[in-house]
């Protein structure tokens, strides 16, 4: 059967602008343009959501909006190679050769306990683990394939260990699941062979059903890479319907080509319009899976800045670790997250349960807010005196959050100027000034540019 490509224009017609936007969150891959079986029935754009649907989503997602910070875990056979999670495809490794690694995958028992303890100490509130990545190996017990952890080298259910570890630390549990499958014989030909598509979809839905049924309450289902099918080909509406029937309180992302509950910008921060929920997922170096040669690590200040930027825009930050093949965490990941956690112990109140913040312009700080309290996160401490331009809302009081020191200030139509502050930054990652305002803080930098008095030439 011939292969039918769906253009962006046709995709907009088929699923509506929101669904088309969701497709842009998928991790780039070779030949990532969606495909469908020729002659397959086309569905109209979904109707606008009812108030009941919106209210139910708000209920399900409240904990997630409050949490702000989560841990992503990429772990699989590729971790034993230590050459990136895409090694199988990028190096052109034959399936028969690659799958031999399954017998040598022998992680230490309950490695996930260290992950969960690190997540909790880092201030992360939920975890999302790869149950099956693109390589096709299942980290969980399944009746549908022998290519899974209990029937290969590990000899046990690694997802079960992860779930138990997360719950022991009081963390919410999320499952990552890759629709794309480099191991399954129908993983590519499903795009042009209807019988192959039906087999792969039955297999995929079956695996997801097992994951959603066998581990108690699951809080997040994080789909990834839908290649080579579209939402119709994957029967994504049926997929999500099954998931919500089994887990009524779960939230799902947008990478099965439906809008889902939240969008997923990858390796960059981009707030959604219209109040739609979003989560920026990032690596701590340049690799998701363990890459022993990748030394391009983010420092703790960069991680905190990213977290604050996500919170300012009303989003979440899902930060990845890539455990080694034995399940241990790279030392640099531990060092970075430990330092981030120390900062959050003092300043977590500026992040958790924070609200979208309109104030966002500065060359040395970023902002979050709760109600009428504005938090200025100063990364590059200017010294004993500096200002915040364009703040239109009256400031009632100000203090350094970590020390409680009162900050003296004056305010006019164009800035709030602080004086008498320490010459050196009180905190080495970011020092936070807490500003109590008369109402929700608003910034207008155009007013500064246009109306600030100018002197003679």
């Amino acid at each position: 059967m011939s292969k039918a490509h769906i253009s962006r224009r046709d995709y907009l017609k088929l699923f509506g602008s929101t669904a088309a936007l969701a497709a842009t969150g998928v991790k780039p891959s070779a030949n990532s343009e969606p495909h469908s079986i020729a002659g397959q029935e086309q569905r109209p754009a979904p109707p606008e959501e009812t108030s009941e649907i919106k209210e139910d989503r708000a209920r399900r997602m409240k904990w997630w909006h409050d949490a702000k910070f989560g841990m992503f875990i990429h772990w699989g056979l590729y971790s034993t190679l230590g050459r990136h999670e895409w090694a199988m495809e990028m190096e052109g490794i034959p399936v028969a050769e690659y799958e031999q690694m399954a017998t040598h995958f022998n992680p230490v028992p309950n490695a996930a306990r260290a992950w969960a303890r690190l997540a909790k100490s880092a201030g992360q509130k939920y975890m999302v683990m790869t149950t099956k990545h693109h390589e096709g190996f299942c980290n969980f017990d399944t009746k549908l394939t022998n290519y899974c952890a209990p029937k290969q080298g590990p000899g046990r259910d690694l997802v079960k260990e992860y779930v138990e570890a997360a719950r022991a630390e009081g963390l919410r549990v999320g499952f990552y699941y890759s629709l794309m499958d480099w191991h399954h014989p129908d993983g590519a030909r499903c795009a042009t062979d209807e019988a192959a598509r039906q087999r792969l979809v039955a297999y995929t839905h079956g695996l997801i059903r097992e994951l959603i049924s066998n581990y108690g309450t699951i809080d997040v289902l994080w789909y990834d890479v839908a290649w080579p099918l579209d939402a119709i080909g994957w029967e994504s509406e049926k997929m999500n319907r099954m998931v919500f029937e089994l887990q009524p309180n779960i939230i799902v992302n947008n990478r099965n080509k439906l809008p889902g509950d939240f969008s997923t910008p990858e390796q960059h921060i981009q707030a959604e319009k219209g109040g739609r929920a979003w989560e920026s997922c990032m690596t701590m170096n340049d690799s998701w899976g363990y890459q022993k040669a990748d030394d391009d690590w983010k420092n703790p200040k960069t991680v905190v800045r990213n977290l604050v930027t996500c919170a300012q825009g009303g989003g979440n930050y899902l930060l990845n670790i890539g455990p080694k093949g034995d399940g241990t965490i790279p030392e640099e990941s531990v060092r970075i997250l430990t330092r981030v956690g120390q900062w959050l112990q003092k300043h977590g109140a500026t992040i958790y349960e924070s609200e979208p913040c309109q104030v966002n312009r500065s060359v040395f700080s970023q902002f979050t807010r709760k109600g009428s309290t504005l938090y200025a996160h100063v990364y590059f401490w200017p010294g004993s005196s500096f200002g915040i331009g364009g703040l239109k809302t009256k400031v009632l009081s100000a203090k350094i959050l970590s020390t409680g020191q009162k900050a003296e200030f004056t305010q006019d139509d164009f800035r709030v100027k602080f004086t008498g502050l320490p010459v050196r930054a009180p905190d080495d990652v970011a020092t936070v000034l807490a500003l109590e305002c008369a109402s929700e803080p608003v910034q207008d930098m155009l007013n500064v540019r246009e109306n600030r008095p100018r002197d003679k030439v």
Side-chain angles (χ1 to χ4, degrees):
M1 300 176 71
S2 64
K3 184 161 46 178
H5 295 266
I6 297 181
S7 68
R8 178 172 175 81
R9 183 182 298 275
D10 290 337
Y11 200 86
L12 283 164
K13 292 178 180 177
L14 183 60
F15 294 110
S17 59
T18 305
L21 177 62
T24 67
V26 177
K27 178 185 288 184
S29 63
N31 303 315
S32 59
E33 182 72 16
H35 302 74
S36 64
I37 302 297
Q40 202 167 36
E41 180 183 357
Q42 302 293 295
R43 298 181 185 180
E48 187 172 342
E49 291 182 335
T50 64
S51 59
E52 289 80 8
I53 291 175
K54 292 178 181 178
E55 289 170 4
D56 179 68
R57 177 176 292 120
R59 176 192 63 80
R60 289 183 289 111
M61 296 195 72
K62 184 181 185 308
W63 73 264
W64 183 89
H65 282 295
D66 291 346
K68 298 301 179 189
F69 194 22
M71 175 183 280
F72 218 171
I73 304 103
H74 277 66
W75 194 46
L77 301 186
Y78 46 82
S79 306
T80 66
L81 270 182
R83 300 202 300 266
H84 198 280
E85 75 282 357
W86 279 63
M88 181 180 178
E89 178 165 295
M90 293 302 180
E91 298 184 30
I93 303 173
V95 171
E97 177 184 332
Y98 190 90
E99 65 185 6
Q100 296 306 310
M101 291 193 299
T103 60
H104 303 295
F105 185 29
N106 188 28
V108 298
N110 294 301
R113 291 179 183 175
W115 310 345
R117 286 194 295 267
L118 178 61
K120 185 174 182 178
S121 68
Q124 294 166 308
K125 302 298 186 181
Y126 61 104
M127 303 173 74
V128 179
M129 176 194 171
T130 50
T131 61
K132 179 180 80 73
H133 203 258
H134 315 327
E135 65 182 6
F137 183 79
C138 298
N139 282 323
F140 57 97
D141 192 12
T142 172
K143 298 177 181 179
L144 301 180
T145 179
N146 291 329
Y147 200 49
C148 63
K151 300 170 188 176
Q152 298 293 332
R156 62 191 192 277
D157 189 330
L158 301 178
V159 167
K160 181 182 179 181
E161 291 185 353
Y162 152 73
V163 170
E164 292 174 350
R167 289 184 180 142
E169 299 297 334
L171 303 173
R172 297 275 186 161
V173 175
F175 287 166
Y176 165 108
Y177 183 91
S178 171
L179 298 172
M180 180 167 69
D181 194 316
W182 297 331
H183 181 266
H184 195 285
D186 294 322
R189 65 189 177 201
C190 61
T192 56
D193 183 324
E194 173 61 13
R197 186 198 69 82
Q198 291 183 14
R199 288 191 299 267
L200 182 63
V201 168
Y203 175 73
T204 299
H205 285 222
L207 290 177
I208 293 173
R209 176 178 287 277
E210 289 179 326
L211 280 169
I212 297 302
S213 300
N214 296 342
Y215 300 94
T217 299
I218 305 304
D219 300 294
V220 182
L221 180 57
W222 215 100
Y223 300 114
D224 199 15
V225 186
W227 188 92
L229 301 174
D230 57 18
I232 296 175
W234 283 114
E235 302 179 25
S236 295
E237 289 185 5
K238 179 181 177 182
M239 182 188 297
N240 280 2
R241 190 161 56 247
M242 170 188 69
V243 167
F244 282 111
E245 286 173 356
L246 295 169
Q247 297 275 352
N249 296 318
I250 202 169
I251 62 176
V252 302
N253 74 349
N254 63 342
R255 295 197 180 190
N256 69 345
K257 299 293 186 174
L258 294 180
D261 294 310
F262 62 98
S263 299
T264 54
E266 182 170 323
Q267 299 288 39
H268 69 282
I269 298 172
Q270 182 177 345
E272 282 284 340
K273 296 179 180 180
R276 177 170 164 79
W278 59 278
E279 173 189 72
S280 179
C281 58
M282 285 191 191
T283 53
M284 270 198 276
N285 52 10
D286 289 333
S287 308
W288 295 100
Y290 177 56
Q291 222 289 31
K292 56 190 174 186
D294 185 349
D295 60 358
D296 191 17
W297 296 96
K298 295 176 176 65
N299 60 42
K301 178 175 288 191
T302 297
V303 170
V304 169
R305 290 187 69 180
N306 289 339
L307 174 59
V308 172
T309 302
C310 288
Q312 181 272 324
N316 282 24
Y317 190 39
L318 187 63
L319 186 63
N320 184 72
I321 64 168
K324 301 176 184 179
D326 64 0
T328 59
I329 309 166
E331 292 179 3
E332 283 297 308
S333 295
V334 175
R335 181 187 65 79
I336 295 165
L337 285 175
T338 298
R339 187 66 194 92
V340 171
Q342 290 168 349
W343 185 86
L344 280 168
Q345 284 177 4
K346 292 183 179 181
H347 304 96
T350 71
I351 302 297
Y352 309 124
E353 302 180 23
S354 61
E355 303 166 85
C357 181
Q358 187 270 343
V359 182
N360 64 1
R361 297 293 302 278
S362 173
V363 294
F364 49 76
S365 63
Q366 290 166 295
F367 304 90
T368 59
R369 78 167 179 97
K370 282 185 179 178
S372 59
T373 302
L374 178 67
Y375 298 105
H377 301 258
V378 185
Y379 305 106
F380 308 121
W381 188 256
S384 61
S385 177
F386 57 85
I388 297 175
L391 196 60
K392 302 292 289 182
T393 313
K394 183 179 180 181
V395 177
L396 304 177
S397 65
K399 67 179 180 180
I400 297 175
L401 190 64
S402 62
T403 66
Q405 177 184 336
K406 183 179 179 181
E408 300 293 337
F409 67 91
T410 57
Q411 184 174 13
D412 59 28
D413 290 339
F414 305 106
R415 70 170 173 173
V416 178
K417 182 181 179 181
F418 301 97
T419 56
L421 295 171
V423 174
R424 297 186 177 218
D427 299 283
D428 64 347
V429 172
T431 297
V432 179
L433 292 183
L435 282 61
E436 297 296 334
C437 301
S439 59
E440 180 180 333
V442 174
Q443 187 180 44
D444 184 357
M445 292 305 299
L446 187 60
N447 176 59
V448 175
R449 180 177 293 181
E450 290 181 339
N451 299 316
R452 181 178 50 181
R454 299 170 185 260
D455 207 345
K456 298 178 181 179
V457 175

